[in-house]
């Protein structure tokens, strides 16, 4: 076949190719190459037929993947030769109407930060969307949080209630326009509007721009509930101690750090250390909260992140945030709108009812949020981005799992910081952050989320995977599904951590995996959490672990780290009462009873948990005896550590197998240095380095043995 021979090719494109400007891109590419044909989409993705000279069709296929629009994420392109119809390049290439909704298998994109084009329009006094807080286009704006069902089309989103005005409709139907088929497109004439309400939910009577008035209230030191993209936030002037302290008190959140939103990268740099990897993360489409090393001179209220050397900073990701930050003129605390440990509020009625006692006023709007989605949290580690909480801006984009899933799977996750996952073919759809499955509202979020994901991605699970812990609500949910005929698969908690890590890195193992964690149910009936596993995706062998110690009082020992100090000191051979440690003096009323409880094994399950070892060290060092948020003692111990110190406490390893690494040796190191008057900052650093050395030794031993 010569280069000039006319060919016709049918093409199927699968992936995130809807609602991202893919069809206009195909149109421009095809017409630029003088090809005839059409492009359209249906529930499976985008279909294209092109006809023209063979070399032009070849160029078209190359450009299709190489030059795709920013939000497109192509999974697969399949091309099939057809018989040419005889049409010529002079005939139009057309964009076909959306096909009938068949199997709803298309992928939905994540919510995406306001793009540069929209920001320019937002600032253009001559434009019709000047300062419009809901401006968006094909390349940016709300997606996952407004999608009620698939295919992704305006009537199936929470924008269905807003009828487009004539100019908006014209843009929407013009293939050459940036807003061609941008489902959430709108303008001040036809789209959502802001309202400012008082704490009781009444519209404030004084006239004025709600956004400018909100900025004024924030500057006066008030706490404002602001409806965002995935839920309500609570906002306060980040530099105003009185405002941030009031927010903390009213929210019943004692010490857990708040995140801060800064107007732009320059403002973020005044708050924390921003290297190029952090800058990339801060300005990425996902716009996570990025944990930065805080600048000592940062103008941030002491209550924002008490006793913490790092600060969670994010940049505006909606036009509303951009306008607000510009108007306030300085960073604001922006934390999830909830009461203590409840999930983030996202329905107007609930938010008004629950946050009325916290917020002085509400900035709300009339675009509904269909699914609650918290901000994502990330940090830079060793020059690479590392997600700590993957939610808004990332979800529901799937992970590709090379082995694939022969049967459709629901994985129910654990209890704390729960996410679930639905999987089919080669896609794993990990959910948004659900939270701690300890109350009815979070459980509802979990069950409704599973139903929503099942509908969006057409997944009817045949297999349900669950944590081995029989008391987790997620496990109980899985067991109920088993009663309905699904096959059950229990997964050990730390094997799940390591398998997730493998999937995240596109690997299958086997690997030496180290899971240092708080709590996970072990098949031997003890509580695991300092584990060295030789693991692949499908199975594992426990190569070694921290030597178990009793947890006196069970869950009470998690809330009161001094109990773990008692257990570890006893395991280490006991401290000489003659030179009693401060931690013993502080807790002397209960100390002997707790030690006795541990020795007799009364309500004292054995644990190899790394979290409990950190708790013991933190309590002995006087960091804290009781916590008010998960992991607090370990977080503060890390903050205490002197970055300049390089010493490490040695820890012995008992051969096994499985080998047992003696955490109590590290505790002996701590009390030895304490007795010698070594500063706590140095001791904290030596403890951390001791843990690192122990991990290294455990890995080397495992490698020798396997
Ligand atoms: Zn845009
Ligand atoms: Zn309009």
């Amino acid at each position: 076949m010569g280069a000039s021979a006319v060919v016709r090719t049918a093409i199927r494109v699968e992936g995130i190719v809807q609602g991202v400007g893919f069809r206009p891109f195909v149109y421009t590419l095809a017409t630029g190459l003088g090809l005839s044909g059409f492009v359209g989409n249906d529930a499976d993705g985008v279909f294209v037929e092109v006809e023209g000279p063979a070399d032009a069709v070849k160029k078209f296929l190359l450009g299709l993947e190489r030059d795709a629009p920013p939000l497109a994420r192509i999974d697969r392109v399949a091309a099939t030769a057809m018989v040419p119809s005889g049409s010529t390049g002079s005939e139009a290439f057309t964009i076909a109407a959306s096909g009938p909704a068949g199997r709803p298998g298309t992928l939905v994109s994540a919510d995406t930060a306001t793009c540069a084009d929209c920001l320019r329009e937002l600032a253009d006094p001559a434009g019709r969307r000047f300062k419009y807080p809901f401006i968006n286009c094909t390349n940016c704006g709300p997606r996952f949080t407004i999608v009620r069902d698939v295919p992704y089309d305006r009537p199936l989103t929470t924008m269905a209630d807003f009828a487009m005005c004539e100019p908006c409709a014209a843009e929407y139907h013009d293939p050459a326009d940036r807003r061609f088929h941008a489902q959430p497109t709108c303008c001040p004439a036809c789209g959502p509007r802001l309202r400012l309400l008082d704490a009781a939910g009444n519209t404030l009577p004084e006239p004025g721009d709600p956004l400018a008035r909100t900025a004024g209230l924030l500057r006066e030191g008030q706490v404002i509930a602001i409806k965002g993209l995935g839920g309500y936030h609570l906002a306060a002037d980040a530099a105003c101690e009185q405002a941030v302290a009031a927010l903390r008190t009213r929210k019943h959140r004692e010490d857990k750090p708040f995140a801060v939103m800064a107007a732009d990268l320059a403002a973020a740099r005044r708050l924390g250390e921003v290297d190029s990897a952090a800058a990339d993360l801060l300005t990425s489409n996902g716009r996570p909260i990025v944990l930065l090393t805080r600048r000592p001179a940062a103008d941030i209220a002491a209550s924002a992140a008490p006793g913490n050397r790092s600060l969670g900073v994010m940049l505006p990701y909606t036009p509303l945030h951009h306008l607000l930050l510009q108007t306030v003129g300085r960073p604001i605390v922006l934390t999830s709108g909830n009461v203590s440990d409840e999930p983030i509020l996202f329905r107007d009625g609930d938010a008004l009812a629950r946050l009325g006692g916290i917020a002085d006023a509400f900035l709300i709007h009339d675009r509904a949020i269909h699914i609650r989605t918290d901000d994502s949290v990330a940090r830079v580690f060793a020059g690479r981005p590392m997600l700590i909480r993957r939610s808004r801006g990332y979800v529901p984009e799937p992970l590709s799992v090379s082995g694939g899933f022969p049967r459709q799977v629901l994985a129910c996750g654990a209890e704390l910081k729960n996410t679930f996952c639905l999987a089919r073919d080669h896609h794993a759809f990990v959910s948004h952050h659900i939270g701690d499955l300890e109350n009815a509202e979070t459980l509802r979020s979990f069950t409704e989320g599973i139903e929503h994901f099942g509908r969006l991605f057409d997944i009817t699970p045949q297999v349900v995977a669950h944590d081995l812990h029989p008391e987790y609500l997620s496990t109980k949910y899985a067991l109920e599904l088993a009663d309905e005929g699904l096959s059950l698969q229990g997964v050990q908690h730390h094997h799940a951590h390591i398998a997730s890590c493998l999937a995240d890195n596109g690997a299958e193992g086997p690997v030496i995996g180290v899971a240092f964690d708080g709590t996970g149910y072990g098949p031997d009936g003890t509580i695991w959490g300092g584990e060295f596993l030789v693991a692949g995706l499908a199975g594992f062998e426990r190569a070694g672990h921290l030597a178990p110690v009793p947890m006196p009082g069970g869950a009470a020992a998690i809330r009161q780290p001094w109990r773990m100090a008692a257990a570890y000191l006893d395991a280490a051979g006991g401290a000489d009462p003659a030179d009693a440690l401060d931690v013993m003096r502080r807790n002397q009323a209960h100390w002997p009873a707790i030690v006795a409880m541990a020795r007799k094994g009364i309500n004292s399950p054995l644990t190899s948990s790394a979290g409990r070892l950190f708790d013991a060290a933190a309590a002995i060092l006087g960091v804290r005896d009781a916590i008010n948020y998960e992991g607090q003692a370990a977080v503060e111990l890390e903050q205490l550590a002197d970055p300049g110190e390089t010493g490490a406490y040695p820890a012995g390893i008992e051969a096994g197998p499985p080998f047992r690494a003696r955490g109590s040796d590290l505790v002996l190191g701590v009390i030895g240095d304490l007795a010698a008057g070594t500063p706590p900052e140095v001791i904290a650093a030596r403890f951390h380095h001791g843990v690192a050395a122990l991990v290294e030794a455990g890995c080397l031993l495992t490698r020798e043995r396997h």
Side-chain angles (χ1 to χ4, degrees):
M1 186 190 303
S4 60
V6 168
V7 297
R8 187 173 183 92
T9 304
I11 302 152
R12 269 244 155 240
V13 189
E14 289 172 28
I16 299 174
V17 287
Q18 291 191 21
V20 297
F22 200 77
R23 284 178 299 159
F25 153 71
V26 171
Y27 173 88
T28 309
L29 185 65
T31 48
L33 290 164
L35 299 172
S36 65
F38 58 83
V39 56
N41 61 237
D42 58 20
D44 284 327
V46 164
F47 54 85
V48 189
E49 285 186 23
V50 286
E51 182 164 331
D55 54 350
V57 170
K58 202 173 159 190
K59 278 184 192 157
F60 176 85
L61 284 167
L62 272 175
L64 200 60
E65 291 197 62
R66 193 188 53 203
D67 306 326
L71 296 190
R73 230 191 67 178
I74 297 173
D75 279 341
R76 225 171 292 185
V77 176
T80 333
M82 297 180 76
V83 178
S85 70
S87 64
T88 68
S90 62
E91 283 172 37
F93 185 90
T94 55
I95 296 182
S98 286
R103 182 175 71 83
T106 40
L107 304 181
V108 174
S109 16
D111 302 281
T112 300
T114 314
C115 74
D117 287 332
C118 283
L119 283 180
R120 267 191 293 278
E121 275 188 68
L122 191 65
D124 176 10
R128 61 192 193 88
R129 294 186 180 89
F130 177 53
K131 289 194 174 178
Y132 180 55
F134 300 96
I135 185 171
N136 66 78
C137 74
T138 311
N139 300 325
C140 73
R143 295 289 188 278
F144 173 60
T145 52
I146 62 165
V147 170
R148 288 195 173 115
D149 210 339
V150 285
Y152 173 59
D153 234 339
R154 189 172 177 109
L156 296 177
T157 70
T158 63
M159 283 300 292
D161 303 339
F162 299 91
M164 273 185 253
C165 68
E166 244 175 72
C168 281
E171 292 166 345
Y172 181 87
H173 289 111
D174 175 4
D177 194 278
R178 195 170 95 249
R179 296 197 167 85
F180 178 70
H181 282 224
Q183 305 304 344
T185 189
C186 56
C187 75
C190 67
R193 282 169 205 200
L194 290 177
R195 273 196 305 155
L196 186 63
L197 312 179
D198 66 17
N202 306 306
T203 303
L204 285 167
E206 303 154 52
D209 170 23
L211 201 133
R213 292 184 60 201
T214 300
L217 294 175
L218 285 168
R219 293 182 62 100
E220 286 167 20
Q222 299 211 19
V223 173
I224 315 292
I226 298 174
K227 187 177 180 182
L229 193 56
Y232 274 78
H233 281 116
L234 288 160
D237 179 348
C240 176
E241 174 57 26
Q242 165 258 324
V244 180
L247 170 57
R248 209 169 257 297
T249 310
R250 296 182 204 166
K251 207 183 162 187
H252 303 301
R253 181 149 141 165
E254 290 173 56
D255 295 312
K256 198 174 178 184
F258 288 142
V260 169
M261 182 176 268
D264 51 30
L265 213 44
R269 287 186 201 281
R270 287 193 285 275
L271 301 176
E273 310 281 346
V274 179
D275 61 12
S276 67
D280 288 349
L281 256 180
L282 282 165
T283 56
S284 65
N285 277 340
R287 292 279 158 121
I289 295 167
V290 181
L291 302 182
L292 303 175
T293 303
R294 178 176 177 168
R295 284 191 189 281
D299 189 11
I300 291 291
S303 296
N308 213 305
R309 271 207 283 258
S310 49
L311 186 67
V313 177
M314 63 181 146
L315 298 186
Y317 51 85
T318 68
L320 170 59
H321 294 143
H322 279 285
L323 294 169
L324 186 66
L325 267 289
Q326 283 160 17
T327 318
V328 176
R330 50 184 188 246
I332 57 172
V333 159
L334 205 60
T335 185
S336 300
N338 56 7
V339 185
S340 52
D341 291 328
E342 292 177 2
I344 189 170
L345 290 153
F346 69 114
R347 293 191 182 99
D348 300 334
D350 294 342
L352 288 165
R354 304 289 292 139
L355 302 180
I358 301 178
D360 297 306
F362 286 82
L363 181 65
I364 74 162
H365 59 75
D366 49 357
R367 186 181 73 205
I369 299 168
H370 186 68
I371 191 148
R372 64 159 62 100
T373 315
D374 291 83
D375 293 315
S376 296
V377 183
R379 71 190 293 185
V380 174
F381 180 74
R384 287 174 57 197
M386 187 169 85
L387 277 172
I388 294 166
R389 179 165 84 191
R390 183 182 182 272
S391 203
R392 191 262 312 146
Y394 295 87
V395 170
E397 295 185 4
L399 299 178
S400 284
V401 178
S402 55
F405 300 92
R407 291 187 291 171
Q408 300 190 354
V409 182
L410 164 65
C412 293
E415 182 166 67
L416 298 180
K417 293 160 284 181
N418 176 278
T419 54
F420 60 83
C421 178
L422 279 160
R424 61 174 288 171
D425 306 327
H426 57 289
H427 284 142
F429 297 91
V430 183
S431 80
H432 49 303
H433 170 78
I434 300 291
D436 299 346
L437 283 181
E438 294 172 324
N439 61 57
E441 186 60 20
T442 318
L443 184 64
R444 192 157 78 226
S445 222
F446 172 78
T447 55
E448 288 176 358
I450 290 171
E451 283 162 28
H452 188 55
F453 269 60
R455 210 164 40 242
L456 286 189
F457 307 115
D458 190 29
I459 298 177
T460 310
Q462 296 157 288
V463 181
V464 56
H466 64 87
D467 194 279
L468 293 181
H469 200 303
E471 292 304 316
Y472 285 176
L473 294 179
S474 53
T475 302
K476 291 180 173 170
Y477 178 83
L479 296 177
E480 282 168 24
L481 292 179
D483 291 342
E484 295 168 22
L486 275 74
S487 60
L488 270 184
Q489 179 66 56
V491 182
Q492 200 281 323
H493 191 90
H494 304 101
H495 177 222
H497 274 305
I498 293 165
S500 306
C501 208
L502 285 171
D504 221 2
N505 288 282
E508 292 181 21
V511 291
I512 299 170
V514 183
F516 269 34
D517 192 19
T519 301
Y521 196 86
D524 60 357
T526 69
I527 299 170
W528 291 16
E531 307 307 312
F532 295 77
L533 308 183
V534 173
L537 291 176
F540 73 94
E541 179 192 330
R542 195 184 195 196
H545 53 86
L546 287 177
V549 294
M551 253 170 88
I558 298 176
R559 292 188 297 271
Q560 298 176 4
W562 73 266
R563 289 178 181 236
M564 289 314 301
Y568 259 105
L569 284 169
D570 196 50
D576 185 349
D579 48 27
L581 297 161
D582 279 348
V583 66
M584 299 167 78
R585 274 196 287 272
R586 287 195 306 271
N587 300 285
Q588 59 185 344
H590 305 287
W591 193 275
I594 290 301
V595 171
M597 197 178 184
R599 282 188 188 165
K600 289 180 192 152
I602 301 165
N603 189 20
S604 298
L606 286 174
T607 186
S608 55
S609 162
R612 300 296 81 75
L613 171 60
F614 277 75
D615 284 352
I620 293 169
L621 267 184
V623 170
R624 65 174 46 247
D625 288 338
I627 60 166
N628 59 58
Y629 68 85
E630 193 217 347
Q632 184 177 14
V635 167
E636 293 176 356
L637 184 66
E638 183 185 5
Q639 299 298 324
L640 181 68
D642 176 358
E645 171 60 30
T646 54
Y649 300 129
I653 291 183
E654 296 160 16
F659 68 77
R660 294 148 65 100
R662 281 202 307 262
S664 57
D665 287 356
L666 302 181
V667 169
L668 284 175
V670 170
I671 54 176
D673 265 353
L674 257 186
T678 309
E681 292 80 5
V682 171
I683 299 177
R686 289 178 180 169
F687 172 80
H688 280 86
H689 293 150
V691 172
L694 177 155
V695 169
E696 185 188 20
C699 289
L700 289 173
L701 180 59
T702 307
R703 189 172 67 179
E704 271 169 33
R705 289 183 174 177
H706 290 79

